[in-house]
Amino acid sequence: MPPSPWVVRWSHLLAPGATVLDVACGAGRHMAWFAQRGHAVTGVDRAPEAIASAARFGQALLGDIEDGPWPFAGQAFGAVVVTNYLWRARLPDILAAVAPGGVLLYETFAAGNESVGKPSRPDFLLQPGELLRACAGLRVVAYEDGFLASPDRFVQRIAAVREPRNGSPDKPTRYPL
């Protein structure tokens, strides 16, 4: 499966050689994308068969981040990627894993998706503006909340940066669109 067009579109925001964490990585499509571009990648998923596949691209950790501990406590990455996954209780940990100067690329299903397919449970669908509010401590470079066709789905997606600590008000960082 190819990488998400959203992830591809905003990959240029990563610093060269930045470490990447892929949350709920599945078979590793985003790990492969970033590894091919020279990034050290780490993925976590609870499915053993997914981790077996993802391990080709970097460090792949078998872990249930919903019912178990967050395996990256105290660690920060140059980018954190999340697609097609939502577990609200882990949002603070996911955001905390974005290093200063790092990037969050997040894309998942939103309210309305229940009218076109799965997931359809509210637990797995972002409410209007929810992802934007969750990222209030980051600099949002791009955000979308709407409908995509083929396959039909409602999504929210964000590209956001944790501003570097040594930023200068005289020379603000430029995030190319």
Side-chain angles (χ1 to χ4, degrees):
M1 178 183 276
S4 156
W6 182 258
V7 171
V8 170
R9 178 178 177 195
W10 296 105
S11 293
H12 69 273
L13 294 174
L14 278 70
T19 57
V20 177
L21 172 62
D22 188 353
V23 177
C25 65
R29 65 184 175 135
H30 296 112
M31 290 175 66
W33 169 259
F34 287 109
Q36 291 166 0
R37 281 147 189 80
H39 298 279
V41 294
T42 300
V44 61
D45 202 285
R46 68 178 175 190
E49 63 280 0
I51 289 302
S53 176
R56 308 177 280 173
F57 310 115
Q59 180 183 359
L61 179 66
L62 180 64
D64 185 346
I65 61 172
E66 295 172 16
D67 289 326
W70 177 245
F72 307 104
Q75 295 182 52
F77 297 83
V80 178
V81 177
V82 186
T83 58
N84 301 332
Y85 179 78
L86 175 63
W87 191 254
R88 286 177 176 89
R90 282 291 174 224
L91 280 172
D93 294 319
I94 290 168
L95 292 168
V98 179
V103 179
L104 174 68
L105 300 176
Y106 203 130
E107 174 181 35
T108 198
F109 299 98
N113 204 69
E114 70 281 1
S115 69
V116 296
K118 300 239 181 241
S120 58
R121 286 183 41 202
D123 290 350
F124 304 122
L125 303 175
L126 289 164
Q127 293 303 304
E130 184 176 358
L131 189 55
L132 191 59
R133 289 188 300 277
C135 294
L138 304 178
R139 167 124 180 225
V140 174
V141 177
Y143 172 76
E144 294 181 346
D145 183 353
F147 179 78
L148 295 170
S150 298
D152 289 356
R153 62 210 185 277
F154 288 80
V155 300
Q156 280 184 51
R157 48 199 191 180
I158 200 161
V161 177
R162 182 173 308 286
E163 295 276 40
R165 291 187 182 117
N166 59 353
S168 166
D170 298 333
K171 188 173 181 192
T173 305
R174 296 180 181 189
Y175 302 107
L177 302 178

